[in-house]
Amino acid sequence: MNTINELMKHGPVIGDGGYLIELERRGYVDSGSGRERVGTGRGSGQFTPEVAIEHPDALRELHREFLNAGSQVLQALTFFGTREKLNRAGYGSQVEEINSAAVKLAKEVAGDKALVAGSVSRTQLVEREGMESLAKARDHIAEQIRLLKDAGVDFLILETFFHLAEMKVALQAAAESGLPVVATMSFRPLVTQCSDGHTPAECARVMADLGAIAVGANCEQDPSRMLPLLREMRTAARVPLAAQPAAFRTTDECHSFTRLPEFPDGLESIQIPRQAFTEFGRVARSEGIGYAGGCCGCNAAYIRSLAQAAQAEHQ
Ligand SMILES: [Zn+2]
């Protein structure tokens, strides 16, 4: 099996994505909808990854579907798997178990057909407690990265960070692991800047300077709304672009689906068709995007459309 760096030399590497929303739709993940307070104890989680130990067959099946659709990378479902987030969802004593089970499942399905990435996201400490919590966030992220490395991931995907400051401490923790890192920020409510006020170009430059082998964006926007910000990133970074767009329509006033009233219970009404991922695949190929996957709203049909279009000339 090639490394992620080697794979990126041969056109867009096809990722996967959309695990939590898809498993929520299948009845295995909690969205936190309708609850007054989320993250306040057991059973109060919101899109946390305990499905890896509670319904492993459901997760195994979704991995199989993405692999069969053309994913060259399977992401272990370790998103929101820091001790901070799992603690608030009532799974603090099972952080090691959840992270290692998720990696084991992904590796079992991937075999020698796909690489396995560890997914690491923000802690939500910065949103709740502000920048003074960065050191604590760093410790939580570093702990999760150690668990993922011990479990045997091939590389890391740092994704869905809203603050560049938190992405920076995550990249520093990742660098200590020695694992290759793909880094993608999420932009809301508009694609013009991240939550601590940096443009996509600035984010791209900083992430590349801190060692990411590919930089870009994930979640919140569909491909057509994300592409302009990715092109802005390309002007600033000398490393390949990584793109994992969502499959939900946003508005000119609000470029993020999680800030629309349709989140989380009306998402079906803003679902975009899979043809958008065929077009995204064509652009990924023609514009030389290094890593192209999906995020919330995608399932195997979207990834297959993406893979077929992105690899059309490689057959
Ligand atoms: Zn997403």
Side-chain angles (χ1 to χ4, degrees), residues 54-275:
E54 299 207 327
H55 303 284
D57 288 342
L59 178 54
R60 190 181 284 116
E61 173 58 22
L62 188 51
H63 279 313
R64 279 200 199 104
E65 293 171 21
F66 282 127
L67 184 69
N68 191 48
S71 296
Q72 296 168 283
V73 171
L74 295 181
Q75 292 187 75
L77 181 52
T78 52
F79 185 90
F80 275 167
T82 61
R83 186 174 301 277
E84 195 275 334
K85 181 78 182 173
L86 287 173
N87 220 357
R88 282 163 43 79
Y91 288 88
S93 62
Q94 288 157 293
V95 176
E96 291 86 353
E97 197 188 337
I98 289 171
N99 278 279
S100 65
V103 174
K104 193 165 165 244
L105 278 174
K107 284 170 67 93
E108 176 193 313
V109 176
D112 58 2
K113 295 194 179 80
L115 295 175
V116 169
S119 166
V120 177
S121 186
R122 69 192 190 282
T123 55
Q124 293 185 320
L125 277 167
V126 176
E127 286 138 281
R128 280 204 317 280
E129 299 174 16
M131 291 296 177
E132 306 77 60
S133 64
L134 270 181
K136 245 195 294 178
R138 186 193 187 287
D139 290 345
H140 283 293
I141 290 168
E143 178 192 37
Q144 190 189 14
I145 289 173
R146 280 194 298 274
L147 293 174
L148 296 174
K149 186 178 183 184
D150 288 350
V153 298
D154 297 303
F155 69 104
L156 297 171
I157 298 180
L158 306 186
E159 60 181 1
T160 327
F161 282 78
F162 293 136
H163 296 81
L164 182 59
E166 192 175 14
M167 174 60 93
K168 282 161 79 172
V169 299
L171 279 164
Q172 286 157 359
E176 284 163 22
S177 76
L179 292 167
V181 185
V182 170
T184 58
M185 294 283 295
S186 293
F187 294 85
R188 70 177 191 183
L190 301 174
V191 295
T192 43
Q193 59 175 38
C194 65
S195 294
D196 48 350
H198 301 278
T199 64
E202 286 168 351
C203 291
R205 183 177 44 73
V206 168
M207 292 189 289
D209 285 351
L210 287 172
I213 60 163
V215 299
N218 77 288
C219 209
E220 297 295 359
Q221 298 87 34
D222 67 280
S224 65
R225 201 173 296 274
M226 185 181 277
L227 279 168
L229 91 83
L230 292 168
R231 290 172 182 137
E232 200 187 314
M233 285 182 149
R234 189 204 312 278
T235 63
R238 287 181 300 271
V239 298
L241 283 179
Q244 305 176 94
F248 297 120
R249 189 177 303 110
T250 59
T251 66
D252 290 341
E253 294 73 37
C254 176
H255 302 165
S256 70
F257 81 88
T258 62
R259 289 284 176 90
L260 291 173
E262 287 84 356
F263 177 76
D265 292 330
L267 289 175
E268 287 76 9
S269 66
I270 55 169
Q271 183 79 43
I272 60 164
R274 72 187 74 161
Q275 287 101 316

